Amino acid sequence: MLPSALLLASFASFAPFAPYTYAFSIPPLPHLNFLGIADAQKHQQPLHDTLDAWIQQEERIALDKLLANVSPGGRNVEGQGVAPGTVVASPSQAGPDYWYQWVRDAAITMNTLVDVYAEDTSSPLGGKLSSILDAYTSLQQMIQHTSNPSGTFDDLSGLGEPKFEIDGTSFTGSWGRPQRDGPALRALTLIHYLHEYNASHPTLWTSSRADDFFAPFYEASMPPTSVIKADLEYVSHYWNQSGFDLWEEVEGLHFFTLMVSARSLREGSQLARAFGDLGAADWYTLQAGYIENLLSKFWNKQKGHLVETLWSKRSGLDCGLLLGSLHALPADGSDDDAVYPPWSDKILASLLALTRDQRDRFPINSSPWSSSDDEEVDADEEEPFEGTGLGRYPEDTYNGYSTTHHGNPWFLCTSSAAEVLYRTASHISTSANLIISPTSMPFYTSLLASSSLDVNEGAYGPSDALFHSIIERLGAVGDQFLAVVRRHVDAEGSMSEQFDKETGFMTGARDLTWSYGAFLQAVRARKVMKSL
């Protein structure tokens, strides 16, 4: 059944960001192999004198290098048996071996490409991305039906399998499985793609090929025969069962997984209703509400921050908190039913706690070229909140090659902190309303530690100096986080997985796809902020 005219109209108006165009014109750049420190010092130099100029250049480089890891067309994957529609996590095939497609990473990457596609659907790049997204949809439908160590398609348990071989076949080695975030993220990506494709092809809904087009994406039939329907059924029936976290290490109930699960069911309910699947729409809404109730348990009042995993022995501080907030935002940019959006007081409190921990944990964050001043903070003064290199979580022992060392800062975590701040600035600006609560008070006090303004609890608007100072400072600190990224890429703009906590040079899997995607999303949020 085709979507109703009313809901299709809402699909067509789906426009979460002010438009801008990726200048995708640079030629492919050669990759730098891993370098020794002496060699790296020759190559790891800033590309431009100003941050704005570097961001403009790096945006093009990041998109180019991201697409190099995507089939069809990516120069790192062509002629190597990579199935069309695959996103390889990294071209690194040894030390470490990331030559796989993770369901989670692929969905996040493709969602970034949907944003790029939507900016100019009629351009050559838009056509290329549409072909990639169509191939991705077909491959995911095949993967869903591939029996694997997590299970089969018969009871949908196989959808919890976290990664597959590059040809789309099952990975049968030992691994942390199941991981329940992949189906939710995949559903969100494909719903987003449907929205954007409809906006650029408004006559599709009434054309003779409509049924053929929609069938792979969503059909109301049960057992499910379409990708999105299968994923929503999986999420709605398995969300309350334990699984491994996004870092593939801890089994339990996780903030990131539940955040994206709730959002996928909210978005999926609207889609199901559009296709006349009313019983499913009500079921998805009901389950989303249950998840959102459970998410309230992730706030730890004694610690003063959210925790990534319930009843875990870890501190709970985790980059997954930031990622869960960002990837669970409504695709239309609204916040009416958002749970823990980036600007929420509990996310900001958690970001402050994580940043303070990571700044003191990694020597590179206190180096002479870090964003912080060398001057010591007076004991009576509030410790300033500034951009720094962020890793995954305090107890991390993975250094990119083994788990026998201490962890490092990650590019994707550092970029995601910037995105949280840019989105917070945009929200405060567009809503014309700033609320400083007892929970967010430490964050805003630290944010304005260098200002002469007093920060007090209460509501502020455009007539208040504090309102404008906070927006300005959010953008400035967001830029500090991107400046950290800038310091640790090489001269050709390449990003690996991590940068060494002592030397600052790149380490771990080279050209990590997610590193580029997180940077592009931060830059996108920055452009929205600056347009307001």
Side-chain angles (χ1 to χ4, degrees), residues 385-427:
F385 174 67
E386 297 179 323
T388 193
L390 295 186
R392 299 187 298 175
Y393 53 89
E395 302 86 353
D396 197 0
T397 61
Y398 178 58
N399 70 346
Y401 308 104
S402 70
T403 57
T404 58
H405 301 76
H406 294 295
N408 296 307
W410 284 46
F411 283 103
L412 74 90
C413 293
T414 306
S415 291
S416 295
E419 184 181 355
V420 166
L421 298 176
Y422 295 144
R423 286 185 176 272
T424 300
S426 295
H427 174 76

Side-chain angles (χ1 to χ4, degrees), residues 188-512:
L188 285 170
T189 292
L190 293 179
I191 292 171
H192 187 191
Y193 179 47
L194 278 184
H195 288 160
E196 300 299 353
Y197 194 89
N198 173 68
S200 58
H201 300 79
T203 61
L204 171 65
W205 306 102
T206 56
S207 73
S208 60
R209 68 183 189 93
D211 288 332
D212 291 338
F213 177 81
F214 289 118
F217 293 95
Y218 195 96
E219 281 191 332
S221 58
M222 284 292 292
T225 59
S226 56
V227 181
I228 298 174
K229 176 71 172 176
D231 281 338
L232 295 176
E233 288 297 312
Y234 178 87
V235 173
S236 66
H237 286 91
Y238 284 91
W239 67 263
N240 57 355
Q241 298 189 28
S242 67
F244 281 82
D245 67 333
L246 77 163
W247 309 127
E248 311 187 291
E249 297 171 347
V250 177
E251 188 170 7
L253 294 173
H254 313 290
F255 181 86
F256 176 85
T257 301
L258 291 174
M259 284 286 285
V260 297
S261 294
R263 173 49 46 197
S264 72
L265 293 175
R266 289 289 181 193
E267 302 272 344
S269 177
Q270 296 177 22
L271 184 67
R273 201 169 298 281
F275 279 84
D277 199 3
L278 304 184
D282 292 341
W283 167 253
Y284 300 152
T285 297
L286 179 66
Q287 298 306 308
Y290 290 150
I291 298 173
E292 289 160 1
N293 287 336
L294 177 58
L295 279 164
S296 66
K297 305 297 185 183
F298 284 77
W299 173 251
N300 190 306
K301 187 175 181 180
Q302 288 69 39
K303 293 181 177 181
H305 59 75
L306 291 159
V307 295
E308 169 58 25
T309 303
L310 289 181
W311 311 298
S312 171
K313 295 180 181 179
R314 290 181 179 174
S315 65
L317 282 176
D318 199 296
C319 173
L321 299 171
L322 309 183
L323 296 169
S325 175
L326 291 169
H327 291 291
L329 279 174
D332 64 356
S334 66
D335 64 337
D336 293 341
D337 61 352
V339 181
Y340 298 125
W343 48 86
S344 66
D345 53 2
K346 292 175 181 177
I347 288 293
L348 295 176
S350 302
L351 172 59
L352 175 64
L354 179 62
T355 300
R356 285 179 170 173
D357 174 274
Q358 302 287 276
R359 181 202 59 199
D360 296 337
R361 188 169 298 278
F362 300 130
I364 192 65
N365 286 335
S366 59
S367 66
W369 53 85
S370 68
S371 60
S372 302
D373 295 331
D374 289 336
E375 298 179 5
E376 294 186 3
V377 179
D378 188 281
D380 295 329
E381 293 182 1
E382 177 65 29
E383 195 173 10
F385 174 67
E386 297 179 323
T388 193
L390 295 186
R392 299 187 298 175
Y393 53 89
E395 302 86 353
D396 197 0
T397 61
Y398 178 58
N399 70 346
Y401 308 104
S402 70
T403 57
T404 58
H405 301 76
H406 294 295
N408 296 307
W410 284 46
F411 283 103
L412 74 90
C413 293
T414 306
S415 291
S416 295
E419 184 181 355
V420 166
L421 298 176
Y422 295 144
R423 286 185 176 272
T424 300
S426 295
H427 174 76
I428 294 172
S429 180
T430 55
S431 66
N433 187 34
L434 165 66
I435 302 294
I436 299 180
S437 69
T439 300
S440 62
M441 179 74 173
F443 171 82
Y444 287 114
T445 301
S446 183
L447 182 72
L448 291 188
S450 60
S451 169
S452 61
L453 293 174
D454 292 328
V455 181
N456 298 301
E457 296 174 22
Y460 299 88
S463 62
D464 299 305
L466 187 68
F467 176 89
H468 297 284
S469 293
I470 282 179
I471 291 175
E472 180 181 1
R473 185 63 181 158
L474 286 166
V477 179
D479 281 358
Q480 289 179 2
F481 279 102
L482 288 193
V484 172
V485 172
R486 179 193 183 190
R487 276 194 297 277
H488 298 291
V489 302
D490 66 22
E492 294 179 344
S494 296
M495 296 183 200
S496 61
E497 178 183 66
Q498 310 172 28
F499 48 95
D500 189 273
K501 62 183 175 295
E502 294 180 349
T503 68
F505 294 113
M506 294 193 298
T507 187
R510 67 182 177 93
D511 289 309
L512 190 77

Side-chain angles (χ1 to χ4, degrees), residues 10-220:
S10 70
F11 274 15
S13 62
F14 222 71
F17 297 105
Y20 68 93
T21 301
Y22 280 94
F24 189 72
S25 60
I26 64 170
L29 295 172
H31 291 288
L32 273 181
N33 294 322
F34 281 112
L35 303 167
I37 291 177
D39 288 334
Q41 288 175 329
K42 294 188 296 182
H43 292 280
Q44 199 149 334
Q45 301 294 331
L47 295 173
H48 294 284
D49 292 335
T50 68
L51 182 66
D52 283 342
W54 175 79
I55 288 174
Q56 185 177 17
Q57 173 78 346
E58 183 63 24
E59 182 184 19
R60 298 193 294 270
I61 294 172
L63 180 57
D64 171 70
K65 290 181 177 293
L66 182 154
L67 287 172
N69 293 342
V70 177
S71 176
R75 62 182 175 274
N76 290 335
V77 297
E78 286 298 281
Q80 301 195 57
V82 179
T86 295
V87 177
V88 296
S90 161
S92 177
Q93 299 184 37
D97 184 4
Y98 280 29
W99 191 241
Y100 299 96
Q101 172 164 250
W102 272 263
V103 177
R104 170 183 47 254
D105 297 36
I108 289 173
T109 298
M110 287 297 179
N111 205 37
T112 296
L113 294 183
V114 173
D115 283 331
V116 181
Y117 160 79
E119 295 304 329
D120 191 355
T121 59
S122 61
S123 68
L125 176 59
K128 175 183 178 180
L129 295 179
S130 182
S131 297
I132 289 173
L133 288 160
D134 289 343
Y136 169 74
T137 304
S138 297
L139 178 63
Q140 296 309 302
Q141 190 168 38
M142 184 195 81
I143 281 175
Q144 285 180 333
H145 288 79
T146 300
S147 296
N148 56 68
S150 292
T152 68
F153 187 78
D154 293 340
D155 61 357
L156 300 180
S157 59
L159 274 64
E161 183 65 11
K163 74 175 185 179
F164 290 81
E165 302 285 356
I166 52 95
D167 61 358
T169 59
S170 174
F171 170 76
T172 58
S174 176
W175 209 251
R177 53 170 67 92
Q179 295 176 29
R180 306 193 189 279
D181 54 358
L185 290 160
R186 181 167 53 202
L188 285 170
T189 292
L190 293 179
I191 292 171
H192 187 191
Y193 179 47
L194 278 184
H195 288 160
E196 300 299 353
Y197 194 89
N198 173 68
S200 58
H201 300 79
T203 61
L204 171 65
W205 306 102
T206 56
S207 73
S208 60
R209 68 183 189 93
D211 288 332
D212 291 338
F213 177 81
F214 289 118
F217 293 95
Y218 195 96
E219 281 191 332

